[in-house]
Amino acid sequence: MTKKQDALDYHARGRPGKIAVVPTKPLTNQRDLSLAYSPGVAEPCLEIKNDADLAYTYTAKGNLVAVVTNGTAVLGLGNIGALAGKPVMEGKGNLFKQFADIDVFDIEVGSENPDDVIKFCQLLEPTVGGINLEDIRAPDCFYIEETLRKTMRIPVFHDDQHGTAIISGAALLNALEIVEKDIADVRIVFSGAGAAAISTAEHYVRLGVQREHILMCDRQGVIYKGRTGDMDPYKARFQVDTKARTIADALVGADVFVGLSVAGAVDGPMIAKMAPRPIVFALANPVPEILPDEVRAVRDDAIVATGRSDYPNQVNNVLGFPFIFRGALDVRATEINEEMKMAATRALALLAKQDVPDSVASLYGLRQVKFGPDYLIPFPFDPRVLLWVAPAVAWAAVASGAANDFVELDAYRERLEARLGRARGIMRGIINRASATPKRVVYPEGEEPKIIRAAQIAVDEGIAHPILLGNRAAIERTASQMNVSLDEIEIEDPSSSPRREAYAHFMWAKRQRKGMSLEEARRRLYNGNYFGSCMVARGDADALLSGVNLHYPETIRPALEVIGAHPKSGLVSGMYMLVLEKHVVFCADTTVNIEPTAEQLAQIAYSASRVTRNFGIEPRIAMLSFSNFGSVRHAEAEKVARAVQLLRQRDPSLIVDGEMQADTAFDTEILQRDYPFSALKSQANVLIFPNLSAGNIAYKLLDHLGGATAIGPILVGMSRPVHVLERGADVQDIVNMTAVAVVDAQGRSQPAEPAAARNTPANGIAPTMYSRL
């Protein structure tokens, strides 16, 4: 399947499109109906008629933004029309919701006449709290925004103009600090003279750049004083007295290059002639004006930023518009003025200089992140951006007189934290970590179409180096039918592999005292799970992922026989990561141990805490039962309480308590009111269940009825990375679990097992139900 088909399937899968309207009030009976609609709805209507400000109390207006386009300048596609631009507008709405919890109506206006767009937006003012203009060609976009800002009393913001300006402005301030240059002295060259370039140049002037120090270049070359061809009033602002006529001329001795044009607009020899310690912002997407490697080849003293996520210093508009609108809406601003834009720029610049928490660094697969040439601005998935930019914008609105409401900063930040939890970025963070150091993942069910498709996505995303097990001809035939390229995917046929005999002797050495003959070992290697387990155990692969067409024991048994539990734990358990709208919860044991002892529960909790930390989340562990801290005297409750004691002895730093009921683990009011002595002071994010029945039932209920996205099962405690897919898992589930397997493999440093099996559990902990096989 081609990348084109991937994109089409993504948009068509399930309910078509990317956004939906979700009710916020119940409508389950006649009383609800009478309140939501006639006759009850008349009451708020009359209140709003008497006081228009009450629309922000009784309706969704205060959290609603219209994303408006006429489709005349969509991405790099040009004038494709309003309807064809709708997928982009829906995508923008998705970003507003995911990053700032702002609701969106995407509006595609079927007219290229800018006055029609203006009139349409003016008529929308009673409906929405703000308007985000998108993908409207220049110079129409300038005229539209200027007119709307003068005539409307809600925020209007053209992100194509101002987003890049705000984000790159933060990068510019920090880059100049690093190279120790004064903003008033630097000379800047722009490649491109469209909406983004002109707005960015104007923003730089407000930051302190001298207008006469800016050389702007378009298709005709340098915009110099006296030029007449291909000019408009907005370009004319940047006419300067210069002898430079080409971008190559302009770059000689320049301190900063800002590319907002096309790939290949500049080359190495041009960059080589810039001033010492040049700053290069090559922001064209998807291919920048010049690649960072090409810059480094000629100027190892350069600081480089691009619009891409696979290089440091990504200038991404998602760092701006969701949080700018969040701050503007929350103080009911009448506009987004220059003071608010400047506040956003300076907030981003300051945030980049703060210590980066390990939890944020781990989202990007990094051990440590520090302010410097490769970290000028925060990462898009840094949850702190909301807490810095939105309050800065809100306060700038208040200070500049654009706000109708006032916010108290500490309380406002608490509201923002409650609005968006860590959940939104957790899976993206895992994929980012995986792509930082991809590992070899073997898929025993290599002939399965869903596995083949997921392997291609893993290659495209740079997550892993897939190894498909199965008949080569069958795999190639299926891949051909699906238009999947196998160029970067390894295929290994267990029936004819040259590794078969070595693996047979390896398995025999491990299992000969458990009834396995050499011939039996040879036969079992026709089973992909045994063959794949040998690959991982011998170091020929880094992780195994299987189970899409198998029952759980069929998948886990070969891995336990060949690889086994880690000697330091002696216990294998299964956990699920449940991603809910506002937070993430880890549940264990959900798949392996039927009736764990207190010692085993302690080990399960300890292993779960290590996985949680590996994903960048500090664990808060609740050991669950039907009893609250001795309220019921029963052996089952006492077992859980004993497990808490054992876990605290093993790792006193862990935040853990129990035994407790599930509602106690999630309700901080209950904890503070009834159990102030508890070590758990806030909502638990790791749940340890007293037995397999409870754990398995609970995660499935949360998955199917609670709206959670279940990622797992994550197999914990194995000597080498082995993970099991849910039977019938879809392609995205497989991709997600591939990333989990790679991150697990990244955290392993021990060498592959060279010889016989380890037969003795460590630490005196009893074996699991499967380890006796």
Side-chain angles (χ1 to χ4, degrees):
M1 184 173 63
T2 64
K3 291 183 180 179
K4 173 183 176 181
Q5 194 60 45
D6 283 342
L8 294 175
D9 287 350
Y10 172 85
H11 286 79
R13 186 170 59 237
R15 175 182 288 190
K18 292 173 290 204
I19 58 176
V21 175
V22 179
T24 60
K25 300 295 188 293
L27 191 62
T28 57
N29 52 48
Q30 186 62 37
R31 181 177 183 275
D32 290 344
L33 180 60
S34 68
L35 293 173
Y37 205 58
S38 181
V41 72
E43 300 304 330
C45 291
L46 293 171
E47 294 296 314
I48 294 168
K49 178 180 179 293
N50 294 329
D51 182 355
D53 284 349
L54 290 175
Y56 291 89
T57 301
Y58 296 124
T59 77
K61 176 181 172 73
N63 196 54
L64 185 61
V65 167
V67 175
V68 179
T69 189
N70 64 358
T72 52
V74 179
L75 301 176
L77 304 174
N79 186 352
I80 62 173
L83 181 59
K86 186 174 178 64
V88 179
M89 304 312 119
E90 288 190 356
K92 195 85 171 191
N94 204 323
L95 296 177
F96 267 110
K97 189 64 177 178
Q98 297 288 345
F99 282 88
D101 196 26
I102 292 172
D103 300 317
V104 163
F105 288 157
D106 66 292
I107 308 289
E108 293 74 35
V109 181
S111 174
E112 295 187 13
N113 184 335
D115 290 314
D116 288 344
V117 178
I118 290 169
K119 185 64 175 176
F120 186 90
C121 289
Q122 289 169 336
L123 293 172
L124 278 179
E125 187 164 357
T127 301
V128 297
I131 291 177
N132 183 100
L133 299 171
E134 192 78 15
D135 290 349
I136 301 172
R137 68 189 170 199
D140 293 353
C141 60
F142 300 117
Y143 168 58
I144 292 169
E145 188 189 40
E146 288 170 3
T147 304
L148 292 177
R149 287 185 63 186
K150 290 175 184 175
T151 59
M152 298 183 73
R153 297 287 293 167
I154 59 174
V156 178
F157 183 82
H158 185 210
D159 185 48
D160 299 320
Q161 287 186 59
H162 308 300
T164 301
I166 290 165
I167 314 310
S168 69
L172 177 69
L173 291 176
N174 285 343
L176 290 174
E177 180 177 325
I178 291 168
V179 300
E180 299 179 333
K181 293 184 181 181
D182 191 322
I183 195 168
D185 298 331
V186 295
R187 296 185 175 274
I188 301 179
V189 175
F190 277 82
S191 174
I198 289 172
S199 180
T200 299
E202 291 287 4
H203 193 66
Y204 287 7
V205 170
R206 288 187 287 272
L207 286 171
V209 175
Q210 301 299 309
R211 188 177 293 271
E212 59 270 23
H213 289 175
I214 295 175
L215 289 181
M216 187 169 288
C217 306
D218 61 9
R219 293 183 184 91
Q220 304 299 318
V222 175
I223 298 174
Y224 58 89
K225 190 168 288 186
R227 198 184 96 170
T228 57
D230 193 19
M231 292 295 295
D232 60 50
Y234 303 99
K235 290 182 183 180
R237 298 175 188 169
F238 293 95
Q239 286 182 316
V240 293
D241 190 4
T242 177
K243 294 180 180 178
R245 294 295 182 266
T246 67
I247 194 166
D249 297 338
L251 281 169
V252 176
D255 299 287
V256 181
F257 167 75
V258 181
L260 291 162
S261 55
V262 295
V266 297
D267 58 25
M270 296 181 194
I271 299 297
K273 294 179 181 178
M274 292 180 69
R277 302 202 74 187
I279 297 166
V280 178
F281 291 171
L283 305 180
N285 255 329
V287 182
E289 287 79 2
I290 183 169
L291 291 168
D293 295 341
E294 296 174 307
V295 175
R296 306 284 187 205
V298 295
R299 295 300 298 266
D300 60 5
D301 60 340
I303 291 179
V304 185
T306 71
R308 288 171 46 156
S309 60
D310 51 348
Y311 293 108
N313 299 322
Q314 183 191 14
V315 176
N316 190 323
N317 283 18
V318 81
L319 281 168
F321 68 85
F323 314 112
I324 292 167
F325 269 99
R326 181 76 273 158
L329 292 174
D330 288 341
V331 293
R332 289 178 48 206
T334 57
E335 63 175 338
I336 294 175
N337 57 31
E338 302 310 324
E339 292 87 347
M340 295 159 75
K341 298 172 196 172
M342 195 67 66
T345 288
R346 296 196 182 281
L348 288 168
L350 285 171
L351 176 56
K353 297 177 187 177
Q354 308 305 305
D355 290 337
V356 179
D358 291 342
S359 59
V360 173
S362 67
L363 287 174
Y364 288 82
L366 303 171
R367 291 184 179 274
Q368 191 176 39
V369 179
K370 285 187 176 180
F371 174 66
D374 288 336
Y375 181 67
L376 300 175
I377 49 177
F379 297 125
F381 281 95
D382 186 338
R384 299 174 303 159
V385 176
L386 175 69
L387 306 181
W388 279 67
V389 176
V393 170
W395 266 89
V398 172
S400 62
N404 284 310
D405 273 351
F406 177 83
V407 291
E408 194 280 316
L409 272 183
D410 289 339
Y412 182 44
R413 286 198 175 98
E414 288 182 8
R415 280 167 50 198
L416 292 173
E417 285 184 319
R419 191 178 278 279
L420 283 180
R422 289 285 314 283
R424 64 190 174 95
I426 187 70
M427 199 60 236
R428 183 69 252 173
I430 291 170
I431 289 173
N432 286 340
R433 288 189 60 185
S435 61
T437 313
K439 298 293 184 180
R440 300 164 298 169
V441 178
V442 59
Y443 302 86
E445 300 160 290
E447 297 176 20
E448 161 61 42
K450 288 189 285 189
I451 294 288
I452 295 172
R453 187 174 296 168
Q456 182 209 25
I457 296 172
V459 169
D460 291 343
E461 294 253 352
I463 297 171
H465 304 298
I467 304 169
L468 303 182
L469 299 186
N471 179 273
R472 176 176 292 274
I475 292 171
E476 291 176 345
R477 182 169 56 253
T478 302
S480 177
Q481 293 168 352
M482 299 166 60
N483 293 320
V484 170
S485 171
L486 296 173
D487 291 346
E488 298 181 61
I489 298 175
E490 183 181 340
I491 298 173
E492 185 88 18
D493 189 340
S495 66
S496 59
S497 170
R499 297 185 172 115
R500 278 187 58 82
E501 194 60 22
Y503 287 177
H505 280 85
F506 171 75
M507 274 185 60
W508 181 48
K510 290 183 72 75
R511 306 292 297 178
Q512 58 188 321
R513 293 185 179 274
K514 294 189 177 182
M516 181 180 287
S517 66
L518 179 57
E519 190 57 36
E520 175 63 17
R522 292 187 179 111
R523 284 198 301 271
R524 290 197 185 185
L525 286 172
Y526 288 106
N527 180 318
N529 282 291
Y530 279 103
F531 192 94
S533 295
C534 286
M535 290 189 77
V536 173
R538 294 291 297 270
D540 296 322
D542 300 303
L544 180 145
L545 186 61
S546 182
V548 72
N549 290 320
L550 299 170
H551 291 291
Y552 195 84
E554 296 175 81
T555 305
I556 195 176
R557 183 182 291 108
L560 286 166
E561 290 182 4
V562 175
I563 297 172
H566 194 285
K568 290 185 178 179
S569 69
L571 184 76
V572 175
S573 58
M575 65 184 290
Y576 271 85
M577 179 167 63
L578 298 176
V579 182
L580 296 126
E581 184 178 354
K582 299 293 176 68
H583 54 276
V584 177
V585 178
F586 294 83
C587 299
D589 180 7
T590 54
T591 60
V592 179
N593 299 280
I594 294 176
E595 289 290 348
T597 64
E599 291 77 12
Q600 289 175 324
L601 282 177
Q603 177 60 48
I604 290 166
Y606 180 75
S607 297
S609 73
R610 291 175 62 87
V611 173
T612 305
R613 281 176 170 158
N614 197 33
F615 287 146
I617 298 173
E618 191 60 29
R620 300 185 301 275
I621 306 170
M623 307 288 280
L624 299 182
S625 175
F626 53 82
S627 167
N628 274 321
F629 304 103
S631 63
V632 177
R633 292 295 183 92
H634 189 277
E636 278 293 300
E638 291 168 359
K639 175 184 76 172
V640 176
R642 171 65 176 155
V644 173
Q645 295 175 355
L646 292 171
L647 184 56
R648 285 176 173 166
Q649 291 170 10
R650 180 168 185 177
D651 188 349
S653 70
L654 282 176
I655 300 172
V656 57
D657 218 332
E659 84 287 6
M660 68 176 69
Q661 296 175 4
D663 58 340
T664 304
F666 282 110
D667 194 327
T668 53
E669 185 178 336
I670 293 177
L671 281 168
Q672 293 167 4
R673 184 191 65 225
D674 299 338
Y675 310 106
F677 54 83
S678 173
L680 197 64
K681 303 299 183 184
S682 56
Q683 192 176 75
N685 56 17
V686 179
L687 305 180
I688 306 301
F689 295 92
N691 55 49
L692 187 60
S693 291
N696 192 269
I697 292 167
Y699 99 79
K700 288 184 177 178
L701 285 174
L702 282 169
D703 183 18
H704 291 279
L705 299 180
T709 298
I711 298 171
I714 301 168
L715 207 54
V716 181
M718 293 292 292
S719 185
R720 302 281 290 170
V722 174
H723 293 284
V724 182
L725 296 165
E726 278 200 325
R727 197 162 186 236
D730 66 22
V731 172
Q732 191 56 52
D733 293 333
I734 299 167
V735 173
N736 289 345
M737 284 304 299
T738 298
V740 168
V742 170
V743 170
D744 186 6
Q746 289 170 345
R748 308 276 184 137
S749 58
Q750 76 272 21
E753 186 175 358
R758 302 179 179 98
N759 293 313
T760 305
N763 302 331
I765 297 175
T768 71
M769 59 176 283
Y770 290 125
S771 64
R772 298 186 183 91
L773 297 172

